[in-house]
Amino acid sequence: LMEYRFGTRFRVDARGRTLPPPGMAEAARLYSAGQLEAAASCCEAVLADEPTHFEAHHLLGVVSLDLGRQEAALAALQRAVALNPRSPRAQYHLGNAFQASSRHAEAEPCYRTALALAPDYAEPQNNLGNTLRSLGRHEEAIDCYQAALGHRADDAPAFYNMALSLTDLGRLDEAETALRAALSGQVKPKEAHRLADVRDALAMVLVEMGRDAEALEAIRLNTAHPRAEWNEALMLLRMGRLREAWPKYERRWVLPGFRDDVEAPAPAVLALDQVAGKRVLLRGEQGRGDIIQFARYAPLLARRGADVTLAVFPDLVRLMHTLVDVAVIDTDTAPPGHDVEAALLSLPFAFGTDLESIPVDIPYLSADPSLRAAWAERLGPRSAPRVGLCWWGSQHIPERSIALPVLAPLLAVQGVAFHAVRTDITEEDRAFSRLTHHADALADFAETAALLSHMDLVITIDTAVAHLAGAMGLPVWVLLRRSADWRWLRERDDSPWYPTIRLFRQDARGEWESVVAAVARELIANPPVAASGYCPDTRRRR
């Protein structure tokens, strides 16, 4: 039977009950079978005939979200909610669509509405926790996860997500307990691969607790995970077991998203006894700090008779021209003819580098003399020892950075002149009168090197500035988070990569105040000597 309601046709049975259109039954079957494109087409066919069909909009939104079509998912689910605002399922899935688009503030009311409509609906409770965690509201997030666990006491995802918030709050013992519960909890078969993420998270918690051997064991359990050997390599590097680590470090090329051109084969690991007379193209990779740290290997290849060209980011080109016997191009330039292509961070593997054989022929980078002279004029006469200060680094790893107000005790130290080594300066930053800014003049890393060459001490967080100052042989103090990057090893206040670097480490996750206080005390007790005598390297260069 057919009946019209508000201008739309509906199928009803003999008792007046609404029946789904034939296309919706097929759409639901296709969705259950994992045939998402076909399910979406069925929903669209239903909507072409009945534009206000709630279930068609709803399922189309869910399917679109599964297909990664976030804008289409949002449009369909917003329409579904407009048609039936009292559907907890539609509110929940709309929240998921907002969350997938990183619109967490808009996801929150959707989940709360779903829970108000259906208090026993467990899934919105967990996802509301995820949204609150993304908003930095960890205590509220933990309450949500505990509520989800009240519905199902062995819910592995809720334990895992709660552990992430506990970790961010520095409650590591509780995080470990939650992660071990997740490993023994209940996981849907189609999400069994997520257990690898749980083991990774457990390993990171154990690292922060200083239990490296247990962390390595947790990582090694992920034998089928594509990140397993990569994470094992990072753990071994952190432990100083470099030779064991380098072969596994080569697994980075199979990681999703590690490089744009996934069809190209991984660059070869060089056979050093075969490079003499060969044209070698070295590709810089990962971040600026990585390239600066490992650029030391390029001249070593040249010493073995290779004709070396190094390709780096444009803002590193002028700096890298100070390498000995190495030609430099930027990554936007077509490379010259070459016999062998290799990745820069594969060279430690090729050279068999261990802690005792790290090349420390420093400085291997230097300031261009003409730029150094220009900065001498810009800075003017020296009235006090100069301290270069960098407090903010990659936006992708915010825990490495320090809010400038936290550095106030350091900036209060008298008898030194502080110079900001940062290009992105905020109005809040400019309020610190004892800090001289040079953002407009730091066009690239060659300019940064020239500024650093006039500093008597560099104090920085873990960012490219630390590597540049270390590569130039300048005195450097580096402030490190609790779970520092592998290259700074564990429990050391020095670096085998840079003889002039001194390390100051957090005692507790996210707690910078004690680190800053220690650096301030050290600066008072051992102030730098003015005009320490930096001299640019003058060896033969190309």
Side-chain angles (χ1 to χ4, degrees):
L1 299 174
M2 304 298 296
E3 132 181 345
Y4 285 88
R5 298 180 192 165
F6 305 107
T8 301
R9 293 186 303 167
F10 288 87
R11 295 172 66 249
V12 296
D13 63 13
R15 297 171 63 181
R17 294 175 300 189
T18 301
L19 298 173
M24 282 309 302
E26 178 66 2
R29 185 191 70 78
L30 290 166
Y31 177 69
S32 296
Q35 300 179 45
L36 301 183
E37 293 285 3
S41 296
C42 273
C43 291
E44 289 165 351
V46 170
L47 290 169
D49 189 46
E50 301 180 25
T52 59
H53 196 283
F54 162 73
E55 286 294 353
H57 282 294
H58 182 200
L59 183 55
L60 179 59
V62 172
V63 171
S64 298
L65 192 57
D66 286 350
L67 289 167
R69 300 168 184 166
Q70 295 169 4
E71 290 303 318
L74 279 169
L77 289 164
Q78 284 174 317
R79 181 64 175 143
V81 166
L83 289 166
N84 186 1
R86 295 193 59 77
S87 166
R89 293 181 301 117
Q91 293 281 0
Y92 166 66
H93 287 123
L94 179 57
N96 290 348
F98 278 126
Q99 187 166 303
S101 301
S102 297
R103 294 165 63 175
H104 305 294
E106 293 167 274
E108 180 183 354
C110 297
Y111 293 135
R112 292 198 184 280
T113 300
L115 289 168
L117 292 167
D120 293 331
Y121 192 6
E123 284 80 359
Q125 201 69 261
N126 181 74
N127 285 15
L128 174 59
N130 291 341
T131 284
L132 294 170
R133 177 163 54 82
S134 297
L135 294 169
R137 293 155 60 184
H138 295 292
E139 295 288 0
E140 295 175 72
I142 290 169
D143 289 341
C144 290
Y145 300 133
Q146 289 174 334
L149 289 166
H151 292 287
R152 192 171 70 177
D154 59 352
D155 184 13
F159 275 121
Y160 169 68
N161 293 325
M162 183 166 66
L164 298 182
S165 276
L166 289 167
T167 301
D168 283 341
L169 291 172
R171 293 157 59 178
L172 300 181
D173 290 333
E174 295 172 75
E176 180 189 0
T177 299
L179 288 166
R180 295 197 184 279
L183 288 172
S184 60
Q186 198 173 86
V187 180
K188 297 176 183 176
K190 68 178 182 179
E191 295 182 346
H193 65 284
R194 294 292 178 87
L195 290 176
D197 296 329
V198 180
R199 293 191 187 99
D200 285 349
L202 176 60
M204 291 309 300
V205 167
L206 293 170
V207 165
E208 292 220 26
M209 298 171 80
R211 293 156 59 184
D212 291 351
E214 293 176 72
L216 185 59
E217 181 182 351
I219 289 169
R220 284 175 168 166
L221 288 173
N222 279 349
T223 52
H225 198 282
R227 291 198 308 269
E229 280 195 285
W230 164 255
N231 287 338
E232 185 179 352
L234 296 180
M235 193 65 234
L236 289 168
L237 289 169
R238 184 190 306 274
M239 297 168 75
R241 294 159 60 177
L242 304 191
R243 286 202 176 185
E244 290 178 71
W246 298 127
K248 299 178 186 298
Y249 196 73
E250 292 304 302
R251 293 292 292 171
R252 65 194 185 278
W253 301 112
V254 303
L255 297 181
F258 187 82
R259 52 185 175 146
D260 296 330
D261 187 5
V262 294
E263 300 300 324
V269 176
L270 291 176
L272 296 181
D273 58 351
Q274 299 175 19
V275 298
K278 297 288 182 66
R279 298 169 300 169
V280 178
L281 175 65
L282 284 180
R283 294 279 189 185
E285 55 170 302
Q286 302 184 50
R288 272 73 174 172
D290 299 279
I291 293 173
I292 292 170
Q293 179 179 3
F294 292 97
R296 69 185 71 204
Y297 285 91
L300 300 184
L301 278 182
R303 291 181 200 172
R304 290 177 177 257
D307 183 1
V308 180
T309 299
L310 175 62
V312 296
F313 297 115
D315 58 358
L316 285 171
V317 169
R318 287 203 300 168
L319 171 67
M320 292 296 160
H321 275 306
T322 67
L323 285 169
V324 176
D325 295 329
V326 176
V328 183
I329 61 171
D330 70 62
T331 49
D332 297 330
T333 299
H338 52 277
D339 305 305
V340 182
E341 180 176 339
L344 187 61
L345 271 70
S346 293
L347 293 186
F349 181 24
F351 279 88
T353 301
D354 57 24
L355 285 179
E356 289 69 39
S357 63
I358 291 173
V360 283
D361 185 10
I362 290 183
Y364 57 89
L365 294 173
S366 60
D368 178 271
S370 62
L371 295 179
R372 178 170 158 76
W375 275 95
E377 183 175 349
R378 183 178 289 116
L379 293 171
R382 186 188 303 266
S383 58
R386 293 171 176 155
V387 175
L389 185 63
C390 180
W391 62 94
W392 204 264
S394 170
Q395 61 179 341
H396 304 297
I397 316 178
E399 59 267 29
R400 286 187 187 175
S401 300
I402 307 175
L404 190 53
V406 177
L407 292 173
L410 176 60
L411 290 168
V413 174
Q414 300 300 307
V416 295
F418 291 99
H419 293 262
V421 188
R422 186 184 173 195
T423 56
D424 185 15
I425 301 297
T426 67
E427 288 305 313
E428 182 184 45
D429 296 337
R430 295 185 187 280
F432 285 82
S433 58
R434 293 208 58 217
L435 192 56
T436 303
H437 297 286
H438 305 284
D440 295 341
L442 296 176
D444 64 5
F445 279 89
E447 295 286 359
T448 303
L451 170 61
L452 291 178
S453 73
H454 290 282
M455 298 297 110
D456 303 301
L457 172 66
V458 178
I459 299 177
T460 177
I461 47 93
D462 178 10
T463 190
V465 170
H467 294 283
L468 176 54
M472 294 172 65
L474 300 172
V476 192
W477 295 353
V478 182
L479 285 64
L480 296 178
R481 58 177 174 158
R482 172 71 179 168
S483 179
D485 194 70
W486 64 262
R487 68 205 71 217
W488 306 116
L489 302 173
R490 299 284 287 175
E491 309 301 331
R492 293 180 62 148
D493 61 5
D494 66 335
S495 168
W497 294 94
Y498 302 106
T500 62
I501 276 184
R502 182 175 174 186
L503 306 176
F504 294 79
R505 298 177 181 270
Q506 282 182 346
D507 291 324
R509 181 187 178 95
E511 198 280 300
W512 286 113
E513 286 76 9
S514 63
V515 183
V516 172
V519 172
R521 287 194 300 271
E522 188 62 24
L523 186 59
I524 293 169
N526 296 290
V529 178
S532 55
Y534 170 82
C535 181
D537 191 35
T538 55
R539 293 172 290 177
R540 182 167 60 91
R541 305 180 186 280
R542 291 172 53 194

